[in-house]
Amino acid sequence: MISPTLKRLAVLALPMAALAVTTNVHAEEWTPSRSIEFVAPANPGGGWDTLVRTVSRVLQEEQLAERNFAAINVPGGGGAVAWAQIARDSGNPHKLFATSPPMILVPLAGASRYDHTDFTPVARLITDYSIILVSANAEYETINDLFDALKENPRLSVGGGSAPGSMDHISVAGLASAAGLDASSVNYIPFSGGGDAMTNLMGGHVEAVITGAGEAAGQLGEGSQLRALGVSAPERLTGSLADVPTYQEQGVDYTFDIWRGVMGTPDMPEEAVTYYENLFAEMLETDGWQQARDQLGWIDAYQSSEEFGDFLDQQKELFSDVLSELGLLRQ
């Protein structure tokens, strides 16, 4: 039986906030004077990287931004290396970074001296979901097949692109608990990003990989070397993931939402925050964004800077309970 705390992961909010934004031009309105460094705190191929490159491409194609958004990868420490660099650039309005649950989880686990309160929330953009992948020639056809094998042989491992106690680990731990295993018994192997985790899966170094559905979408389909066993959404996704059953369809009562958004440097000027809020809200209404979003199986979940900040505080409370249950909370 899934514990009450892990079950609470299913209630991560999905508000479809109205995208009405004040766009009146004022004389003091800020605009960027050079290219914006848009940091993905991981190697290429993961969820942060996918968000950064998709947003940068859509902004350019839709001609929404005055300056180019330059995608930059800064891997290491489940995000901690990038956060340490960004923290030293206080007040810089030309630097942004992609964020998601590890921004809360990694500091709680004691792996980063910086947490979300050290940076400037800009906007939440979307919600993604977790997906379990195995090699196409693996013997597992369902989530239950995989977890039966894990029960039989606890040495079998599940890889992920985030640090222990971070997003992928929490997601698979909750799933394992819902499937009747002790969450702490899952042999989770962390890699430096989703791309690295996939490489190790194909090399036979792990039995399965848990990653973001969006980043896996382009690697599935006819002729793929991967097979998706299930997705953490409450109902089936669209596009290339339409044939992937949910966990709930397979009798495992569990969902997990991966929110993704954008944050800025410490003490980013208020007028710069307003500029980016408006820019991202406008982007979400474009055809280019909606096409990319649907291909990746994302769901719009916009929040303004203030709303996103409040949401992050709530996430810290929730995940503190989860990590405590797994014995991973820094004391």
Side-chain angles (χ1 to χ4, degrees):
M1 179 68 69
I2 186 170
S3 70
T5 300
L6 288 169
K7 187 120 181 182
R8 286 172 62 209
L9 289 172
V11 302
L12 292 172
L14 282 177
M16 296 297 290
L19 297 183
V21 178
T22 301
T23 57
N24 294 333
V25 177
H26 301 285
E28 70 273 20
E29 182 178 288
W30 181 88
T31 57
S33 59
R34 63 176 189 267
S35 293
I36 292 92
E37 298 176 65
F38 198 4
V39 177
N43 283 315
W48 285 329
D49 181 70
T50 302
L51 183 70
V52 163
R53 295 184 187 279
T54 301
V55 168
S56 299
R57 176 178 59 79
V58 171
L59 288 173
Q60 181 178 14
E61 291 177 351
E62 297 289 338
Q63 300 181 336
L64 294 179
E66 286 84 350
R67 299 287 178 168
N68 181 50
F69 278 60
I72 299 171
N73 293 91
V74 182
V81 172
W83 301 332
Q85 291 183 13
I86 295 164
R88 294 194 294 267
D89 210 2
S90 182
N92 183 356
H94 294 91
K95 180 173 286 187
L96 302 171
F97 65 97
T99 190
S100 62
M103 180 78 260
I104 308 295
L105 292 161
V106 172
L108 284 174
S112 171
R113 60 176 290 193
Y114 300 101
D115 68 10
H116 73 281
T117 62
D118 294 303
F119 303 99
T120 304
V122 173
R124 190 176 79 169
L125 300 181
I126 58 102
T127 286
D128 193 4
Y129 296 98
S130 291
I131 194 168
I132 294 277
L133 303 172
V134 296
S135 171
N137 58 13
E139 59 184 332
Y140 315 115
E141 296 290 340
T142 70
I143 283 292
N144 293 301
D145 291 341
L146 176 64
F147 280 101
D148 285 345
L150 294 179
K151 285 179 189 175
E152 225 174 280
N153 184 2
R155 297 183 63 185
L156 296 178
S157 57
V158 178
S162 61
S166 193
M167 182 175 64
D168 290 339
H169 187 194
I170 293 298
S171 180
V172 75
L175 175 61
S177 180
L181 280 73
D182 177 359
S184 62
S185 72
V186 176
N187 183 16
Y188 175 77
I189 306 296
F191 296 100
S192 61
D196 191 21
M198 297 276 199
T199 299
N200 278 273
L201 174 62
M202 298 313 302
H205 303 297
V206 292
E207 206 71 13
V209 156
I210 186 158
T211 188
E215 62 200 85
Q219 303 183 55
L220 295 170
E222 190 174 347
S224 173
Q225 295 181 289
L226 300 170
R227 178 189 305 143
L229 299 185
V231 65
S232 68
E235 55 188 42
R236 290 204 185 194
L237 303 177
T238 57
S240 63
L241 302 176
D243 293 333
V244 181
T246 67
Y247 301 155
Q248 290 178 328
E249 284 181 71
Q250 300 176 71
V252 183
D253 187 15
Y254 180 73
T255 62
F256 185 85
D257 302 328
I258 305 172
W259 49 266
R260 300 192 192 278
V262 180
M263 298 190 79
T265 57
D267 300 318
M268 177 177 279
E270 185 177 341
E271 59 270 24
V273 175
T274 299
Y275 169 84
Y276 291 121
E277 279 181 313
N278 293 351
L279 178 67
F280 292 132
E282 186 178 1
M283 180 194 71
L284 264 61
E285 296 184 41
T286 66
D287 291 339
W289 171 262
Q290 290 163 15
Q291 182 179 1
R293 173 203 65 197
D294 292 346
Q295 287 176 342
L296 292 166
W298 291 344
I299 294 175
D300 288 340
Y302 181 84
Q303 286 181 324
S304 67
S305 173
E306 183 177 357
E307 293 167 334
F308 191 27
D310 291 341
F311 173 78
L312 293 171
D313 291 341
Q314 294 164 9
Q315 289 287 284
K316 183 174 181 178
E317 287 188 35
L318 170 63
F319 286 132
S320 293
D321 293 343
V322 175
L323 288 176
S324 179
E325 185 168 331
L326 291 174
L328 295 170
L329 183 66
R330 176 183 60 185
Q331 299 300 320

